[in-house]
mmCIF file with all atom_site columns, all heavy atoms in Angstrom:
data_model
loop_
_atom_site.group_PDB
_atom_site.id
_atom_site.type_symbol
_atom_site.label_atom_id
_atom_site.label_alt_id
_atom_site.label_comp_id
_atom_site.label_asym_id
_atom_site.label_entity_id
_atom_site.label_seq_id
_atom_site.pdbx_PDB_ins_code
_atom_site.Cartn_x
_atom_site.Cartn_y
_atom_site.Cartn_z
_atom_site.occupancy
_atom_site.B_iso_or_equiv
_atom_site.pdbx_formal_charge
_atom_site.auth_seq_id
_atom_site.auth_comp_id
_atom_site.auth_asym_id
_atom_site.auth_atom_id
_atom_site.pdbx_PDB_model_num
ATOM 1   N N   . PHE W 1 250 ? -19.265 66.774 156.260 1.00 93.00 ? 261 PHE W N   1
ATOM 2   C CA  . PHE W 1 250 ? -20.356 67.163 157.148 1.00 93.00 ? 261 PHE W CA  1
ATOM 3   C C   . PHE W 1 250 ? -19.890 67.180 158.593 1.00 93.00 ? 261 PHE W C   1
ATOM 4   O O   . PHE W 1 250 ? -19.192 66.261 159.039 1.00 93.00 ? 261 PHE W O   1
ATOM 5   C CB  . PHE W 1 250 ? -21.518 66.163 157.039 1.00 93.00 ? 261 PHE W CB  1
ATOM 6   C CG  . PHE W 1 250 ? -22.316 66.343 155.789 1.00 93.00 ? 261 PHE W CG  1
ATOM 7   C CD1 . PHE W 1 250 ? -22.264 65.403 154.777 1.00 93.00 ? 261 PHE W CD1 1
ATOM 8   C CD2 . PHE W 1 250 ? -23.114 67.458 155.626 1.00 93.00 ? 261 PHE W CD2 1
ATOM 9   C CE1 . PHE W 1 250 ? -22.999 65.573 153.616 1.00 93.00 ? 261 PHE W CE1 1
ATOM 10  C CE2 . PHE W 1 250 ? -23.857 67.639 154.466 1.00 93.00 ? 261 PHE W CE2 1
ATOM 11  C CZ  . PHE W 1 250 ? -23.793 66.693 153.462 1.00 93.00 ? 261 PHE W CZ  1
ATOM 12  N N   . VAL W 1 316 ? -18.039 61.818 150.315 1.00 91.00 ? 327 VAL W N   1
ATOM 13  C CA  . VAL W 1 316 ? -18.637 62.523 151.441 1.00 91.00 ? 327 VAL W CA  1
ATOM 14  C C   . VAL W 1 316 ? -17.901 62.046 152.687 1.00 91.00 ? 327 VAL W C   1
ATOM 15  O O   . VAL W 1 316 ? -17.693 60.846 152.856 1.00 91.00 ? 327 VAL W O   1
ATOM 16  C CB  . VAL W 1 316 ? -20.133 62.167 151.573 1.00 91.00 ? 327 VAL W CB  1
ATOM 17  C CG1 . VAL W 1 316 ? -20.678 62.605 152.923 1.00 91.00 ? 327 VAL W CG1 1
ATOM 18  C CG2 . VAL W 1 316 ? -20.946 62.806 150.461 1.00 91.00 ? 327 VAL W CG2 1
ATOM 19  N N   . ILE W 1 317 ? -17.472 62.980 153.516 1.00 95.00 ? 328 ILE W N   1
ATOM 20  C CA  . ILE W 1 317 ? -16.876 62.579 154.797 1.00 95.00 ? 328 ILE W CA  1
ATOM 21  C C   . ILE W 1 317 ? -17.790 63.055 155.915 1.00 95.00 ? 328 ILE W C   1
ATOM 22  O O   . ILE W 1 317 ? -18.147 64.232 155.987 1.00 95.00 ? 328 ILE W O   1
ATOM 23  C CB  . ILE W 1 317 ? -15.467 63.188 154.981 1.00 95.00 ? 328 ILE W CB  1
ATOM 24  C CG1 . ILE W 1 317 ? -14.490 62.574 153.975 1.00 95.00 ? 328 ILE W CG1 1
ATOM 25  C CG2 . ILE W 1 317 ? -14.969 62.956 156.408 1.00 95.00 ? 328 ILE W CG2 1
ATOM 26  C CD1 . ILE W 1 317 ? -13.063 63.114 154.064 1.00 95.00 ? 328 ILE W CD1 1
ATOM 27  N N   . ASN W 1 318 ? -18.189 62.127 156.767 1.00 95.00 ? 329 ASN W N   1
ATOM 28  C CA  . ASN W 1 318 ? -18.878 62.511 157.990 1.00 95.00 ? 329 ASN W CA  1
ATOM 29  C C   . ASN W 1 318 ? -17.802 62.730 159.032 1.00 95.00 ? 329 ASN W C   1
ATOM 30  O O   . ASN W 1 318 ? -17.260 61.771 159.576 1.00 95.00 ? 329 ASN W O   1
ATOM 31  C CB  . ASN W 1 318 ? -19.818 61.399 158.444 1.00 95.00 ? 329 ASN W CB  1
ATOM 32  C CG  . ASN W 1 318 ? -20.931 61.180 157.440 1.00 95.00 ? 329 ASN W CG  1
ATOM 33  O OD1 . ASN W 1 318 ? -21.565 62.128 157.002 1.00 95.00 ? 329 ASN W OD1 1
ATOM 34  N ND2 . ASN W 1 318 ? -21.140 59.934 157.056 1.00 95.00 ? 329 ASN W ND2 1
ATOM 35  N N   . PHE W 1 319 ? -17.491 63.989 159.283 1.00 96.00 ? 330 PHE W N   1
ATOM 36  C CA  . PHE W 1 319 ? -16.419 64.308 160.227 1.00 96.00 ? 330 PHE W CA  1
ATOM 37  C C   . PHE W 1 319 ? -16.817 63.841 161.630 1.00 96.00 ? 330 PHE W C   1
ATOM 38  O O   . PHE W 1 319 ? -15.990 63.532 162.453 1.00 96.00 ? 330 PHE W O   1
ATOM 39  C CB  . PHE W 1 319 ? -16.160 65.811 160.209 1.00 96.00 ? 330 PHE W CB  1
ATOM 40  C CG  . PHE W 1 319 ? -14.800 66.183 160.700 1.00 96.00 ? 330 PHE W CG  1
ATOM 41  C CD1 . PHE W 1 319 ? -13.688 65.993 159.901 1.00 96.00 ? 330 PHE W CD1 1
ATOM 42  C CD2 . PHE W 1 319 ? -14.630 66.711 161.970 1.00 96.00 ? 330 PHE W CD2 1
ATOM 43  C CE1 . PHE W 1 319 ? -12.420 66.333 160.345 1.00 96.00 ? 330 PHE W CE1 1
ATOM 44  C CE2 . PHE W 1 319 ? -13.366 67.058 162.431 1.00 96.00 ? 330 PHE W CE2 1
ATOM 45  C CZ  . PHE W 1 319 ? -12.258 66.856 161.616 1.00 96.00 ? 330 PHE W CZ  1
ATOM 46  N N   . ASP W 1 320 ? -18.116 63.851 161.874 1.00 93.00 ? 331 ASP W N   1
ATOM 47  C CA  . ASP W 1 320 ? -18.627 63.173 163.068 1.00 93.00 ? 331 ASP W CA  1
ATOM 48  C C   . ASP W 1 320 ? -19.891 62.420 162.680 1.00 93.00 ? 331 ASP W C   1
ATOM 49  O O   . ASP W 1 320 ? -20.445 62.623 161.610 1.00 93.00 ? 331 ASP W O   1
ATOM 50  C CB  . ASP W 1 320 ? -18.864 64.156 164.223 1.00 93.00 ? 331 ASP W CB  1
ATOM 51  C CG  . ASP W 1 320 ? -19.577 65.396 163.767 1.00 93.00 ? 331 ASP W CG  1
ATOM 52  O OD1 . ASP W 1 320 ? -20.390 65.308 162.816 1.00 93.00 ? 331 ASP W OD1 1
ATOM 53  O OD2 . ASP W 1 320 ? -19.333 66.473 164.339 1.00 93.00 ? 331 ASP W OD2 1
ATOM 54  N N   . TYR W 1 328 ? -27.719 60.302 158.353 1.00 87.00 ? 339 TYR W N   1
ATOM 55  C CA  . TYR W 1 328 ? -26.591 59.587 157.729 1.00 87.00 ? 339 TYR W CA  1
ATOM 56  C C   . TYR W 1 328 ? -26.938 59.269 156.277 1.00 87.00 ? 339 TYR W C   1
ATOM 57  O O   . TYR W 1 328 ? -26.148 59.508 155.359 1.00 87.00 ? 339 TYR W O   1
ATOM 58  C CB  . TYR W 1 328 ? -26.295 58.302 158.511 1.00 87.00 ? 339 TYR W CB  1
ATOM 59  C CG  . TYR W 1 328 ? -25.223 57.451 157.866 1.00 87.00 ? 339 TYR W CG  1
ATOM 60  C CD1 . TYR W 1 328 ? -23.875 57.755 158.042 1.00 87.00 ? 339 TYR W CD1 1
ATOM 61  C CD2 . TYR W 1 328 ? -25.546 56.360 157.062 1.00 87.00 ? 339 TYR W CD2 1
ATOM 62  C CE1 . TYR W 1 328 ? -22.881 56.991 157.440 1.00 87.00 ? 339 TYR W CE1 1
ATOM 63  C CE2 . TYR W 1 328 ? -24.566 55.592 156.461 1.00 87.00 ? 339 TYR W CE2 1
ATOM 64  C CZ  . TYR W 1 328 ? -23.239 55.903 156.651 1.00 87.00 ? 339 TYR W CZ  1
ATOM 65  O OH  . TYR W 1 328 ? -22.260 55.166 156.047 1.00 87.00 ? 339 TYR W OH  1
ATOM 66  N N   . ARG W 1 331 ? -26.928 62.404 154.266 1.00 83.00 ? 342 ARG W N   1
ATOM 67  C CA  . ARG W 1 331 ? -25.572 62.907 154.002 1.00 83.00 ? 342 ARG W CA  1
ATOM 68  C C   . ARG W 1 331 ? -24.907 62.096 152.903 1.00 83.00 ? 342 ARG W C   1
ATOM 69  O O   . ARG W 1 331 ? -24.374 62.648 151.947 1.00 83.00 ? 342 ARG W O   1
ATOM 70  C CB  . ARG W 1 331 ? -24.723 62.795 155.267 1.00 83.00 ? 342 ARG W CB  1
ATOM 71  C CG  . ARG W 1 331 ? -25.034 63.819 156.334 1.00 83.00 ? 342 ARG W CG  1
ATOM 72  C CD  . ARG W 1 331 ? -24.087 63.577 157.485 1.00 83.00 ? 342 ARG W CD  1
ATOM 73  N NE  . ARG W 1 331 ? -24.252 64.498 158.584 1.00 83.00 ? 342 ARG W NE  1
ATOM 74  C CZ  . ARG W 1 331 ? -23.373 64.593 159.577 1.00 83.00 ? 342 ARG W CZ  1
ATOM 75  N NH1 . ARG W 1 331 ? -22.308 63.823 159.600 1.00 83.00 ? 342 ARG W NH1 1
ATOM 76  N NH2 . ARG W 1 331 ? -23.583 65.447 160.560 1.00 83.00 ? 342 ARG W NH2 1
ATOM 77  N N   . ILE W 1 332 ? -24.942 60.780 153.018 1.00 84.00 ? 343 ILE W N   1
ATOM 78  C CA  . ILE W 1 332 ? -24.180 60.005 152.044 1.00 84.00 ? 343 ILE W CA  1
ATOM 79  C C   . ILE W 1 332 ? -24.903 59.935 150.696 1.00 84.00 ? 343 ILE W C   1
ATOM 80  O O   . ILE W 1 332 ? -24.299 59.596 149.689 1.00 84.00 ? 343 ILE W O   1
ATOM 81  C CB  . ILE W 1 332 ? -23.791 58.597 152.549 1.00 84.00 ? 343 ILE W CB  1
ATOM 82  C CG1 . ILE W 1 332 ? -24.987 57.663 152.569 1.00 84.00 ? 343 ILE W CG1 1
ATOM 83  C CG2 . ILE W 1 332 ? -23.139 58.661 153.913 1.00 84.00 ? 343 ILE W CG2 1
ATOM 84  C CD1 . ILE W 1 332 ? -24.556 56.231 152.768 1.00 84.00 ? 343 ILE W CD1 1
ATOM 85  N N   . VAL W 1 345 ? -17.344 58.196 153.774 1.00 94.00 ? 356 VAL W N   1
ATOM 86  C CA  . VAL W 1 345 ? -16.439 57.785 154.840 1.00 94.00 ? 356 VAL W CA  1
ATOM 87  C C   . VAL W 1 345 ? -16.881 58.468 156.128 1.00 94.00 ? 356 VAL W C   1
ATOM 88  O O   . VAL W 1 345 ? -17.161 59.666 156.135 1.00 94.00 ? 356 VAL W O   1
ATOM 89  C CB  . VAL W 1 345 ? -14.996 58.233 154.498 1.00 94.00 ? 356 VAL W CB  1
ATOM 90  C CG1 . VAL W 1 345 ? -14.053 57.869 155.616 1.00 94.00 ? 356 VAL W CG1 1
ATOM 91  C CG2 . VAL W 1 345 ? -14.546 57.598 153.188 1.00 94.00 ? 356 VAL W CG2 1
ATOM 92  N N   . THR W 1 346 ? -16.966 57.696 157.201 1.00 96.00 ? 357 THR W N   1
ATOM 93  C CA  . THR W 1 346 ? -17.388 58.263 158.474 1.00 96.00 ? 357 THR W CA  1
ATOM 94  C C   . THR W 1 346 ? -16.277 58.124 159.510 1.00 96.00 ? 357 THR W C   1
ATOM 95  O O   . THR W 1 346 ? -15.652 57.063 159.593 1.00 96.00 ? 357 THR W O   1
ATOM 96  C CB  . THR W 1 346 ? -18.658 57.539 158.968 1.00 96.00 ? 357 THR W CB  1
ATOM 97  O OG1 . THR W 1 346 ? -19.650 57.621 157.954 1.00 96.00 ? 357 THR W OG1 1
ATOM 98  C CG2 . THR W 1 346 ? -19.188 58.175 160.247 1.00 96.00 ? 357 THR W CG2 1
ATOM 99  N N   . PHE W 1 347 ? -16.049 59.209 160.251 1.00 97.00 ? 358 PHE W N   1
ATOM 100 C CA  . PHE W 1 347 ? -15.063 59.152 161.329 1.00 97.00 ? 358 PHE W CA  1
ATOM 101 C C   . PHE W 1 347 ? -15.820 58.915 162.641 1.00 97.00 ? 358 PHE W C   1
ATOM 102 O O   . PHE W 1 347 ? -16.720 59.685 162.985 1.00 97.00 ? 358 PHE W O   1
ATOM 103 C CB  . PHE W 1 347 ? -14.290 60.472 161.452 1.00 97.00 ? 358 PHE W CB  1
ATOM 104 C CG  . PHE W 1 347 ? -13.476 60.841 160.229 1.00 97.00 ? 358 PHE W CG  1
ATOM 105 C CD1 . PHE W 1 347 ? -12.907 62.113 160.132 1.00 97.00 ? 358 PHE W CD1 1
ATOM 106 C CD2 . PHE W 1 347 ? -13.253 59.934 159.190 1.00 97.00 ? 358 PHE W CD2 1
ATOM 107 C CE1 . PHE W 1 347 ? -12.148 62.476 159.019 1.00 97.00 ? 358 PHE W CE1 1
ATOM 108 C CE2 . PHE W 1 347 ? -12.499 60.296 158.073 1.00 97.00 ? 358 PHE W CE2 1
ATOM 109 C CZ  . PHE W 1 347 ? -11.949 61.565 157.992 1.00 97.00 ? 358 PHE W CZ  1
#
Side-chain angles (χ1 to χ4, degrees):
F261 284 110
V327 166
I328 292 180
N329 295 312
F330 202 76
D331 46 31
Y339 175 80
R342 285 181 179 192
I343 74 168
V356 178
T357 305
F358 298 170

